[in-house]
Amino acid sequence: MSSTAPDEASNPITHALNLARDTLPPMHPAGRPFVAAGVAATLLLRRVWKPLGAVGALATLATAAFFREPKRVPPERAGLVLAAADGLVSLIEEAAPPPELGLPAEPRMRVSVFLSVFDVHVQRVPASGVVERVAYRPGKFLSADLDKASDDNERNSVLLRTESGHELVVVQIAGLVARRILCQVADGEKVAAGDTYGLIRFGSRVDIYLPPGSEVLVRTGQRTIGGETPLAALPERGA
């Protein structure tokens, strides 16, 4: 049986366009104003001196890359806490959760992931459930890889009740260069593991506080992929 539809696989141009579309990640909407400003600046600089236009174009491409939001496929296994961000596991230690969430000041296991300016900077929901509380707290802008950044820096904390009934805390922390934390979820909202829920500009850290009895599955120095890398296994029964 013959077909009048063109064979896309045999067309090298179409194949290349489809490959580029599948390979290049989309951009988070928060990056569009910055990229648009970069394009405008590039055109102006090019009129002044072409080499300046080339510099502007490279800077615009770097900005677009910073705001990339690649597709992620979370594992199907139930009872996992996924990494909320791409980056490096910098700390695994016990610490009390942020006081602004109103939780007991009892230490819980905390896994901290440091994001450099080269990492994907959108944050992913670590487990499916319901957002119980969102709390923002202004603060300093110390280097996000320092221990005291969790206590002193500007941060946005989310208390999540997982489908199995566990309390999970995920905290976006501003860094030395970061000056803006974006959180796109609100109290009472249902969320799914791996979905994008926020973004930090430009260099930052994300802490996850685990419920008692969780099994940590990563080690210090390991790199994580937000929405895909299992950070921990939750206890079998909820609180």
Side-chain angles (χ1 to χ4, degrees):
M1 178 178 171
S2 62
S3 174
T4 57
D7 185 1
E8 294 186 358
S10 64
N11 187 323
I13 296 178
T14 302
H15 178 71
L17 290 174
N18 289 336
L19 183 62
R21 183 181 59 189
D22 293 338
T23 302
L24 297 175
M27 184 173 59
H28 191 278
R32 293 171 187 168
F34 293 89
V35 173
V39 170
T42 297
L43 294 175
L44 290 175
L45 290 172
R46 182 177 172 80
R47 295 183 64 179
V48 175
W49 191 36
K50 286 187 176 181
L52 283 178
V55 173
L58 290 174
T60 302
L61 288 173
T63 302
F66 177 87
F67 286 101
R68 64 195 185 277
E69 186 181 358
K71 180 181 179 181
R72 296 289 162 78
V73 181
E76 292 185 356
R77 176 184 163 187
L80 292 177
V81 178
L82 306 181
D86 291 33
L88 188 73
V89 179
S90 57
L91 289 171
I92 300 175
E93 60 184 2
E94 289 194 345
E100 57 267 27
L101 289 176
L103 298 173
E106 299 174 356
R108 307 181 183 199
M109 188 60 68
R110 180 178 70 193
V111 180
S112 302
V113 173
F114 172 74
L115 295 75
S116 75
V117 294
F118 301 105
D119 288 310
V120 173
H121 267 65
V122 296
Q123 281 74 63
R124 312 278 178 165
V125 176
S128 297
V130 177
V131 175
E132 291 200 336
R133 194 171 305 137
V134 178
Y136 168 79
R137 197 209 70 170
K140 300 178 181 179
F141 297 97
L142 304 174
S143 179
D145 59 344
L146 298 176
D147 292 359
K148 57 184 180 179
S150 293
D151 297 323
D152 296 343
N153 281 20
E154 176 184 352
R155 65 187 181 221
N156 189 82
S157 304
V158 174
L159 174 60
L160 176 68
R161 177 74 62 178
T162 71
E163 292 177 339
S164 55
H166 295 94
E167 280 185 344
L168 198 60
V169 175
V170 56
V171 185
Q172 300 165 286
I173 302 172
L176 185 64
V177 184
R179 288 296 186 273
R180 181 75 170 92
I181 295 176
L182 173 65
C183 181
Q184 299 168 293
V185 295
D187 295 6
E189 186 173 339
K190 290 184 178 181
V191 292
D195 286 353
T196 298
Y197 87 90
L199 180 144
I200 315 174
R201 305 193 305 252
F202 290 90
S204 47
R205 173 170 158 181
V206 177
D207 288 350
I208 289 186
Y209 294 79
L210 302 169
S214 300
E215 177 189 2
V216 177
L217 302 176
V218 292
R219 295 187 297 175
T220 303
Q222 180 177 340
R223 291 201 61 82
T224 62
I225 299 175
E228 291 189 354
T229 302
L231 282 190
L234 292 168
E236 291 187 3
R237 303 181 66 179

